[in-house]
Amino acid sequence: MIRKDLLSLEHFRDRLAHIDSLPQMLLLGVLSGLFAGLIIMAFRLLIEIPLGLYLPGHDPENFEALPASLHFLLPVAGSLVLILLFWRLAAAHRKVGVVHVLERLGYHQGQLPAPNLLVQFASATVALLSGHSVGREGPAIHLGAGGASLIGQWLRLPNNSMRLLIGCGTAAGISAAFNTPLAGVVFAMEVVLLEYTVLGFAPIMVAAVTADLVIRASIGSTLLFSVPQFSIGDLSEIPLVMLLGVMIGLLAGGFNRIMLYTASFSAIALHWRLLLAGILTGSVALLYPQVMGVGYDTVSETLLGQQPLLWLAGLLLAKWLLTPVILGLGIPGGLIGPTVFIGALAGALIGSLAQLFNDQMLSQVGLYAMIGMGAMMGAVLNAPLAALIALLELTGNPHIILPAMLAIVISNLTVRHLFKLPSIFQSLLRAQGLDQTQSPLAQALSRAAVGSLMQRNFLQAATRESKARAVFLSEQSSDWILISDPALRALLPRSELMLWLQQVETDADIDLLELPAHRRDPVQISFRATLQEAADCMQQRQTDILCVNSNRGDIIGVLTRAQIEAYYLHHQTL
């Protein structure tokens, strides 16, 4: 028969503290994927239904067909609504997007506040409805990760599982926004968690698949870009693909630099920055209305047909300059969609120029547009594998793997070594004086909680005990005695009590705080803390042992530095 306590929430939390809690994490992966899928479904419908109603032709991306006056007024109106939305909010609640997720993951154990989640939902909806030059994928990542984090906070789960929950929510958000579950998995591990682990893949994959099923069942699923199965015509085109990678790398590095420079003006009041973003978007949209919104319709047209060279160059310059500026000014949208847009235009432009000089080139311009999409996304995000997988899932074309890999690698190398920049998200974090990256030791210790390693068979004693009681304590197998009266006063090694009793003959009561011994101060830590948090606490408090508290505040175990060191030596490769 199944013991009743095996089905309890306490047992569930206790198992999650261990690094090998795969069944429990799979269940959390399903829950986070379901929750994230429902949130993204509501987010997408709240954007697509109104856009389909008020844009000409009932096309939710047809901003181009609006009157010229609305091309200017709509983004300005959206900025005014955002100003009203942010007006009374505390600065801490205005933080949204992927950078906010990374900050909370690195410095707050993945605990994302619910108010920021609501602000992200509302503000990104306004930005996308008003035609700002942003994407929906960045907000989707925050919404997915935030939903998963709220599940963990509500269940009061150990912090090591919170980290993996953020990965599950991120993958689910990407999967639901892009209909790309595999790219969501790789993005979560390559960009957010910054590590690949065997035990981490399964729950993140389950979350991505669950979110994708929610979207398929509610909204439906088709390839985002329905294009012919382009393939490279001849190996003689490889130098052109390499040149494309270099040019995309230059565009990506410039994109990141512009955004970082604009974000440095954070001292200017937010309402002025948002208003300026609206005016800039409206002004550019008067010349190139295609910059409005996500722009996947323009990307599809670029992939399918020949576009005038001057038009491609002008729209590319407009989108490349406008998007990082308004994102740096504070418009709460994503940048993945715009990078795909910019990459497609750049690839099409280079392919068209090549055809002017060599009309015998076998490949279609659309092939270079597709390669440019992946190269730009991979270079801006410093996520080459996620970009390649996303490109395959978005287009359904396996024939572009070879040229796409080559261009993505070269564009990433250009950004990393010529511009000396990591991903745009890490760059923005560092500009705030923060750094999410962890050493291999910290990564290994963050995968388990103190509850998985603590010694539970400790002894408890009052400050004064009889000799018979002291002898009884000294004969037990536990290593530590917790002295309390009733508050916890000290930790006494059992071996030192036993040694003292062997050396001193007395029948009087024994004051455990007075006998000569190497007692430790009772430094306490939650059982939800990771082993990395425990190691940091030991370093700060100059101790080699911690008392572990339950959710109710009771002492349930002790943890020593020697245990942490032994754990790392045996589990660092998991």
Coordinates of all heavy atoms in Angstrom, one line a residue, residues 385-459:
L385 N 22.4 28.1 -31.6 CA 21.6 26.9 -31.8 C 20.1 27.2 -31.7 O 19.4 26.6 -32.5 CB 22.0 25.9 -30.7 CG 21.4 24.5 -30.8 CD1 21.6 23.9 -32.2 CD2 21.9 23.6 -29.7
A386 N 19.7 28.1 -30.8 CA 18.3 28.4 -30.7 C 17.9 29.1 -32.0 O 16.7 28.9 -32.5 CB 18.1 29.4 -29.6
A387 N 18.7 29.9 -32.6 CA 18.4 30.6 -33.9 C 18.2 29.6 -35.0 O 17.3 29.7 -35.8 CB 19.4 31.6 -34.2
L388 N 19.1 28.6 -35.1 CA 19.0 27.6 -36.1 C 17.8 26.8 -36.0 O 17.1 26.5 -37.0 CB 20.3 26.7 -36.1 CG 20.3 25.6 -37.1 CD1 20.4 26.2 -38.6 CD2 21.5 24.7 -36.9
I389 N 17.5 26.3 -34.8 CA 16.3 25.5 -34.6 C 15.0 26.3 -34.9 O 14.1 25.8 -35.5 CB 16.2 25.0 -33.1 CG1 17.5 24.1 -32.9 CG2 15.0 24.2 -32.9 CD1 17.5 22.9 -33.7
A390 N 15.0 27.6 -34.4 CA 13.8 28.4 -34.7 C 13.6 28.6 -36.2 O 12.5 28.6 -36.7 CB 14.0 29.8 -34.0
L391 N 14.7 28.8 -37.0 CA 14.6 29.0 -38.4 C 14.0 27.7 -39.1 O 13.2 27.8 -39.9 CB 16.0 29.3 -39.0 CG 16.1 29.6 -40.4 CD1 15.3 30.9 -40.7 CD2 17.6 29.8 -40.9
L392 N 14.5 26.6 -38.6 CA 13.9 25.3 -39.2 C 12.5 25.2 -38.8 O 11.7 24.7 -39.7 CB 14.7 24.1 -38.6 CG 16.2 24.0 -39.1 CD1 16.9 22.8 -38.3 CD2 16.3 23.8 -40.6
E393 N 12.1 25.5 -37.6 CA 10.7 25.3 -37.2 C 9.8 26.4 -37.9 O 8.6 26.1 -38.2 CB 10.5 25.4 -35.7 CG 11.1 24.1 -35.0 CD 10.8 24.1 -33.5 OE1 11.3 25.0 -32.8 OE2 10.0 23.2 -33.1
L394 N 10.3 27.6 -38.1 CA 9.5 28.7 -38.7 C 9.2 28.4 -40.1 O 8.2 28.8 -40.7 CB 10.1 30.0 -38.4 CG 10.2 30.5 -37.0 CD1 11.0 31.8 -36.9 CD2 8.7 30.8 -36.5
T395 N 10.2 27.8 -40.8 CA 10.1 27.7 -42.3 C 9.8 26.3 -42.7 O 9.4 26.1 -43.9 CB 11.4 28.2 -43.0 OG1 12.5 27.4 -42.6 CG2 11.7 29.6 -42.6
G396 N 10.1 25.3 -41.9 CA 9.9 23.9 -42.3 C 10.8 23.5 -43.4 O 10.4 22.6 -44.2
N397 N 12.0 24.1 -43.5 CA 12.9 23.8 -44.6 C 14.2 23.3 -44.1 O 15.0 24.0 -43.6 CB 13.1 25.1 -45.4 CG 14.0 24.9 -46.6 OD1 14.4 23.8 -47.0 ND2 14.3 26.0 -47.3
P398 N 14.4 22.0 -44.3 CA 15.7 21.4 -43.8 C 16.9 21.6 -44.7 O 18.0 21.3 -44.3 CB 15.4 19.9 -43.7 CG 14.3 19.7 -44.7 CD 13.5 20.9 -44.8
H399 N 16.6 22.1 -45.9 CA 17.7 22.3 -46.9 C 18.6 23.5 -46.6 O 19.6 23.6 -47.3 CB 17.1 22.5 -48.3 CG 16.2 21.4 -48.7 ND1 16.6 20.1 -48.9 CD2 14.8 21.4 -49.0 CE1 15.6 19.3 -49.2 NE2 14.5 20.1 -49.3
I400 N 18.2 24.3 -45.6 CA 19.1 25.5 -45.4 C 20.0 25.3 -44.2 O 20.7 26.2 -43.8 CB 18.2 26.7 -45.1 CG1 17.3 26.4 -43.8 CG2 17.3 27.1 -46.2 CD1 16.5 27.6 -43.3
I401 N 20.1 24.1 -43.7 CA 20.9 23.8 -42.5 C 22.4 24.2 -42.7 O 23.0 25.0 -41.9 CB 20.8 22.4 -42.0 CG1 19.4 22.1 -41.5 CG2 21.8 22.1 -40.9 CD1 19.2 20.6 -41.1
L402 N 23.0 23.7 -43.8 CA 24.4 24.0 -44.0 C 24.7 25.5 -44.2 O 25.5 26.1 -43.4 CB 24.9 23.2 -45.2 CG 26.3 23.6 -45.7 CD1 27.3 23.2 -44.6 CD2 26.6 22.9 -47.0
P403 N 24.0 26.2 -45.1 CA 24.4 27.6 -45.2 C 24.0 28.4 -44.0 O 24.6 29.4 -43.6 CB 23.6 28.1 -46.5 CG 22.5 27.1 -46.6 CD 23.1 25.8 -46.1
A404 N 22.8 28.1 -43.3 CA 22.4 28.8 -42.2 C 23.4 28.6 -41.0 O 23.7 29.6 -40.3 CB 21.0 28.3 -41.7
M405 N 23.9 27.4 -40.8 CA 24.9 27.2 -39.8 C 26.1 28.1 -40.0 O 26.7 28.7 -39.1 CB 25.3 25.7 -39.7 CG 24.2 24.8 -39.1 SD 24.7 23.1 -39.1 CE 26.1 23.1 -38.0
L406 N 26.6 28.1 -41.2 CA 27.8 28.9 -41.6 C 27.6 30.4 -41.3 O 28.4 31.0 -40.7 CB 28.1 28.6 -43.0 CG 29.4 29.2 -43.5 CD1 30.6 28.7 -42.7 CD2 29.6 29.0 -45.0
A407 N 26.4 30.9 -41.8 CA 26.2 32.3 -41.6 C 26.0 32.7 -40.1 O 26.4 33.7 -39.6 CB 25.0 32.7 -42.4
I408 N 25.3 31.8 -39.4 CA 25.0 32.1 -37.9 C 26.3 32.1 -37.1 O 26.5 33.0 -36.3 CB 24.0 31.0 -37.4 CG1 22.6 31.3 -38.0 CG2 24.0 31.1 -35.9 CD1 21.6 30.2 -37.6
V409 N 27.2 31.1 -37.4 CA 28.5 31.1 -36.7 C 29.3 32.3 -37.0 O 29.9 33.0 -36.1 CB 29.3 29.8 -37.1 CG1 30.7 29.9 -36.6 CG2 28.6 28.6 -36.5
I410 N 29.4 32.7 -38.3 CA 30.2 33.9 -38.6 C 29.6 35.2 -38.0 O 30.3 36.0 -37.5 CB 30.3 34.0 -40.2 CG1 31.1 32.8 -40.7 CG2 30.9 35.3 -40.6 CD1 31.2 32.8 -42.2
S411 N 28.3 35.3 -38.0 CA 27.7 36.5 -37.5 C 27.9 36.6 -36.0 O 28.1 37.7 -35.4 CB 26.2 36.6 -37.8 OG 25.5 35.5 -37.2
N412 N 27.8 35.4 -35.3 CA 28.1 35.4 -33.9 C 29.6 35.8 -33.6 O 29.8 36.5 -32.6 CB 27.8 34.0 -33.3 CG 26.4 33.9 -32.8 OD1 26.1 34.1 -31.6 ND2 25.5 33.6 -33.7
L413 N 30.5 35.2 -34.3 CA 31.9 35.6 -34.1 C 32.1 37.1 -34.4 O 32.9 37.7 -33.6 CB 32.7 34.7 -35.1 CG 32.9 33.3 -34.8 CD1 33.7 32.5 -35.9 CD2 33.7 33.1 -33.4
T414 N 31.5 37.6 -35.3 CA 31.6 39.1 -35.6 C 31.2 39.9 -34.4 O 31.9 40.8 -34.0 CB 30.8 39.5 -36.9 OG1 31.2 38.7 -38.0 CG2 31.0 40.9 -37.2
V415 N 30.1 39.6 -33.8 CA 29.6 40.4 -32.7 C 30.5 40.2 -31.5 O 30.8 41.1 -30.8 CB 28.1 40.0 -32.4 CG1 27.7 40.7 -31.1 CG2 27.2 40.4 -33.5
R416 N 30.9 38.9 -31.2 CA 31.6 38.6 -30.0 C 33.0 39.2 -30.1 O 33.5 39.7 -29.1 CB 31.7 37.1 -29.9 CG 30.4 36.4 -29.5 CD 30.0 36.6 -28.1 NE 30.8 36.1 -27.1 CZ 30.5 36.0 -25.8 NH1 29.4 36.5 -25.4 NH2 31.4 35.5 -25.0
H417 N 33.7 39.1 -31.2 CA 35.1 39.5 -31.3 C 35.4 40.9 -31.9 O 36.4 41.5 -31.5 CB 35.9 38.4 -32.1 CG 35.9 37.1 -31.4 ND1 36.8 36.8 -30.4 CD2 35.2 36.0 -31.6 CE1 36.6 35.6 -30.0 NE2 35.6 35.0 -30.7
L418 N 34.5 41.3 -32.7 CA 34.7 42.7 -33.2 C 34.0 43.7 -32.3 O 34.6 44.8 -32.1 CB 34.1 42.8 -34.6 CG 34.3 44.1 -35.4 CD1 35.8 44.3 -35.6 CD2 33.6 44.1 -36.8
F419 N 32.9 43.4 -31.8 CA 32.2 44.4 -30.9 C 32.4 44.1 -29.4 O 32.0 44.9 -28.6 CB 30.7 44.4 -31.2 CG 30.3 45.0 -32.6 CD1 30.3 44.2 -33.7 CD2 30.0 46.3 -32.7 CE1 30.0 44.8 -34.9 CE2 29.7 46.9 -33.9 CZ 29.7 46.1 -35.0
K420 N 32.9 42.9 -29.1 CA 33.2 42.5 -27.7 C 31.9 42.5 -26.9 O 31.9 43.0 -25.8 CB 34.2 43.4 -27.1 CG 35.5 43.6 -27.8 CD 36.3 42.3 -28.0 CE 37.6 42.5 -28.7 NZ 38.3 41.2 -28.9
L421 N 30.8 42.0 -27.5 CA 29.6 42.0 -26.8 C 29.0 40.6 -26.6 O 29.1 39.7 -27.5 CB 28.5 42.8 -27.6 CG 28.7 44.3 -27.7 CD1 27.7 44.9 -28.6 CD2 28.5 44.9 -26.3
P422 N 28.4 40.3 -25.5 CA 27.7 39.0 -25.3 C 26.3 39.2 -25.9 O 26.1 40.1 -26.7 CB 27.7 38.8 -23.8 CG 27.7 40.2 -23.2 CD 28.5 41.0 -24.2
S423 N 25.3 38.5 -25.4 CA 23.9 38.7 -25.9 C 23.4 40.1 -25.5 O 24.0 40.7 -24.5 CB 23.0 37.6 -25.4 OG 22.7 37.9 -24.0
I424 N 22.4 40.6 -26.1 CA 21.9 41.9 -25.8 C 21.3 41.9 -24.4 O 21.4 42.9 -23.7 CB 20.8 42.3 -26.8 CG1 20.3 43.7 -26.5 CG2 19.7 41.3 -26.9 CD1 21.4 44.8 -26.6
F425 N 20.8 40.8 -24.0 CA 20.2 40.7 -22.6 C 21.3 40.8 -21.6 O 21.2 41.5 -20.6 CB 19.4 39.4 -22.4 CG 18.3 39.2 -23.5 CD1 18.2 38.1 -24.2 CD2 17.4 40.3 -23.7 CE1 17.2 37.9 -25.1 CE2 16.4 40.1 -24.6 CZ 16.3 38.9 -25.4
Q426 N 22.4 40.0 -21.7 CA 23.5 40.1 -20.8 C 24.2 41.5 -20.8 O 24.6 42.0 -19.8 CB 24.5 39.0 -21.1 CG 24.1 37.6 -21.0 CD 23.8 37.3 -19.5 OE1 24.4 37.8 -18.6 NE2 22.8 36.3 -19.3
S427 N 24.2 42.1 -22.0 CA 24.8 43.4 -22.1 C 24.0 44.4 -21.3 O 24.5 45.3 -20.6 CB 24.9 43.8 -23.6 OG 25.7 43.0 -24.3
L428 N 22.7 44.3 -21.4 CA 21.8 45.3 -20.7 C 21.9 45.0 -19.2 O 21.9 46.0 -18.4 CB 20.3 45.1 -21.1 CG 20.0 45.6 -22.6 CD1 18.7 45.2 -23.0 CD2 20.1 47.1 -22.6
L429 N 22.0 43.8 -18.8 CA 22.2 43.5 -17.3 C 23.5 44.1 -16.8 O 23.6 44.7 -15.8 CB 22.3 42.0 -17.1 CG 21.0 41.3 -16.7 CD1 21.2 39.8 -16.5 CD2 20.4 41.8 -15.5
R430 N 24.6 43.9 -17.6 CA 25.9 44.5 -17.2 C 25.9 46.0 -17.1 O 26.6 46.6 -16.3 CB 27.0 43.9 -18.1 CG 27.2 42.4 -18.0 CD 28.3 41.9 -18.9 NE 28.4 40.5 -18.8 CZ 29.3 39.7 -19.5 NH1 30.1 40.3 -20.4 NH2 29.3 38.4 -19.4
A431 N 25.1 46.6 -18.0 CA 25.0 48.0 -18.0 C 24.4 48.5 -16.7 O 24.6 49.7 -16.3 CB 24.2 48.5 -19.2
Q432 N 23.6 47.7 -16.0 CA 23.0 48.0 -14.8 C 23.9 47.6 -13.6 O 23.5 47.7 -12.4 CB 21.6 47.3 -14.6 CG 20.6 47.6 -15.7 CD 19.3 46.8 -15.6 OE1 19.0 46.4 -14.5 NE2 18.7 46.6 -16.7
G433 N 25.1 47.1 -13.9 CA 26.0 46.6 -12.8 C 25.7 45.3 -12.3 O 26.1 44.9 -11.2
L434 N 24.9 44.5 -13.1 CA 24.5 43.1 -12.7 C 25.2 42.1 -13.7 O 25.6 42.4 -14.8 CB 23.0 42.9 -12.7 CG 22.2 44.0 -11.9 CD1 20.7 43.8 -12.2 CD2 22.5 43.9 -10.5
D435 N 25.3 40.9 -13.2 CA 25.9 39.8 -14.0 C 25.2 38.5 -13.6 O 25.4 38.1 -12.4 CB 27.4 39.7 -13.9 CG 28.0 38.8 -14.9 OD1 27.3 38.2 -15.7 OD2 29.3 38.7 -14.9
Q436 N 24.5 37.8 -14.5 CA 23.8 36.6 -14.2 C 24.7 35.4 -14.3 O 24.3 34.3 -13.8 CB 22.6 36.5 -15.1 CG 21.7 35.4 -14.8 CD 21.2 34.7 -16.1 OE1 21.4 35.1 -17.2 NE2 20.4 33.6 -15.9
T437 N 25.8 35.5 -15.0 CA 26.6 34.3 -15.3 C 27.1 33.7 -14.0 O 27.4 34.4 -13.0 CB 27.8 34.6 -16.2 OG1 28.6 35.7 -15.6 CG2 27.3 35.1 -17.5
Q438 N 27.3 32.4 -13.9 CA 27.7 31.6 -12.7 C 29.0 30.8 -13.1 O 29.1 30.4 -14.2 CB 26.6 30.7 -12.2 CG 25.4 31.4 -11.6 CD 24.4 30.4 -11.1 OE1 24.1 29.4 -11.7 NE2 24.0 30.6 -9.9
S439 N 29.8 30.6 -12.1 CA 30.9 29.7 -12.2 C 30.4 28.3 -12.3 O 29.3 28.0 -11.8 CB 31.9 29.9 -11.1 OG 31.3 29.4 -9.9
P440 N 31.2 27.3 -12.8 CA 30.8 25.9 -12.8 C 30.4 25.4 -11.4 O 29.5 24.6 -11.2 CB 32.0 25.2 -13.4 CG 32.7 26.2 -14.2 CD 32.5 27.5 -13.5
L441 N 31.2 25.8 -10.4 CA 30.9 25.4 -9.0 C 29.5 25.9 -8.6 O 28.7 25.2 -8.0 CB 31.9 26.0 -8.1 CG 31.7 25.8 -6.6 CD1 31.5 24.3 -6.2 CD2 32.7 26.4 -5.7
A442 N 29.2 27.2 -8.9 CA 27.9 27.8 -8.5 C 26.8 27.1 -9.2 O 25.7 26.9 -8.7 CB 27.9 29.3 -8.8
Q443 N 27.0 26.8 -10.5 CA 26.0 26.1 -11.3 C 25.7 24.7 -10.7 O 24.5 24.4 -10.5 CB 26.4 25.9 -12.7 CG 26.4 27.2 -13.6 CD 26.8 27.0 -15.0 OE1 27.4 26.0 -15.3 NE2 26.4 27.9 -15.9
A444 N 26.7 24.0 -10.3 CA 26.5 22.7 -9.8 C 25.7 22.7 -8.4 O 24.8 22.0 -8.1 CB 27.8 21.9 -9.6
L445 N 26.1 23.7 -7.6 CA 25.5 23.8 -6.3 C 24.1 24.4 -6.3 O 23.3 24.3 -5.4 CB 26.4 24.7 -5.3 CG 27.8 24.1 -5.0 CD1 28.5 25.0 -4.1 CD2 27.7 22.7 -4.4
S446 N 23.8 25.1 -7.4 CA 22.4 25.6 -7.6 C 21.4 24.6 -8.0 O 20.2 24.9 -8.0 CB 22.4 26.8 -8.6 OG 23.2 27.9 -8.1
R447 N 21.8 23.4 -8.3 CA 20.9 22.4 -8.8 C 20.2 21.6 -7.7 O 19.4 20.8 -8.0 CB 21.6 21.4 -9.8 CG 22.1 22.1 -11.0 CD 22.9 21.1 -11.9 NE 23.6 21.9 -12.9 CZ 24.8 21.5 -13.4 NH1 25.4 20.5 -12.9 NH2 25.4 22.2 -14.3
A448 N 20.7 21.8 -6.5 CA 20.1 21.0 -5.3 C 19.9 22.0 -4.2 O 20.6 23.0 -4.0 CB 21.0 19.9 -4.9
A449 N 18.9 21.7 -3.3 CA 18.6 22.5 -2.2 C 19.2 21.9 -0.9 O 19.6 20.7 -0.9 CB 17.1 22.7 -2.0
V450 N 19.3 22.6 0.2 CA 19.9 22.1 1.4 C 19.1 21.0 2.0 O 19.7 20.1 2.6 CB 20.0 23.3 2.4 CG1 21.0 24.4 1.9 CG2 18.7 23.9 2.8
G451 N 17.8 20.9 1.7 CA 17.0 19.8 2.2 C 17.4 18.5 1.6 O 17.1 17.4 2.3
S452 N 18.1 18.4 0.5 CA 18.6 17.2 0.0 C 19.8 16.6 0.7 O 20.2 15.4 0.5 CB 18.9 17.3 -1.5 OG 20.0 18.2 -1.7
L453 N 20.5 17.5 1.4 CA 21.9 17.1 1.9 C 21.9 17.1 3.5 O 22.9 16.6 4.0 CB 22.9 18.0 1.3 CG 24.3 17.5 1.2 CD1 24.4 16.2 0.3 CD2 25.2 18.6 0.6
M454 N 21.0 17.8 4.1 CA 21.1 18.1 5.5 C 21.1 16.8 6.3 O 20.5 15.8 5.9 CB 20.0 19.0 6.0 CG 18.6 18.4 5.8 SD 17.3 19.6 6.2 CE 15.9 18.6 6.0
Q455 N 21.7 16.8 7.5 CA 21.6 15.7 8.4 C 20.3 15.9 9.3 O 20.2 16.9 9.9 CB 22.8 15.7 9.3 CG 24.1 15.5 8.6 CD 25.3 15.6 9.6 OE1 25.2 15.3 10.8 NE2 26.5 15.9 9.0
R456 N 19.5 14.9 9.3 CA 18.2 15.0 10.0 C 18.3 14.4 11.4 O 17.4 14.6 12.2 CB 17.1 14.3 9.2 CG 16.8 14.9 7.9 CD 15.8 14.1 7.1 NE 15.6 14.7 5.7 CZ 14.7 15.6 5.4 NH1 13.9 16.1 6.3 NH2 14.6 16.0 4.2
N457 N 19.3 13.6 11.7 CA 19.4 12.8 13.0 C 20.2 13.6 14.0 O 21.1 13.1 14.7 CB 20.0 11.4 12.8 CG 21.4 11.5 12.2 OD1 21.8 12.5 11.6 ND2 22.2 10.5 12.5
F458 N 19.9 14.9 14.2 CA 20.6 15.7 15.2 C 19.9 15.5 16.5 O 18.8 15.0 16.6 CB 20.6 17.2 14.8 CG 19.2 17.7 14.6 CD1 18.5 18.3 15.7 CD2 18.6 17.7 13.4 CE1 17.2 18.8 15.5 CE2 17.3 18.2 13.2 CZ 16.6 18.7 14.3
L459 N 20.6 15.9 17.6 CA 20.1 15.8 19.0 C 19.7 17.2 19.5 O 20.2 18.2 19.0 CB 21.2 15.2 19.9 CG 21.7 13.8 19.4 CD1 22.9 13.5 20.3 CD2 20.6 12.8 19.6

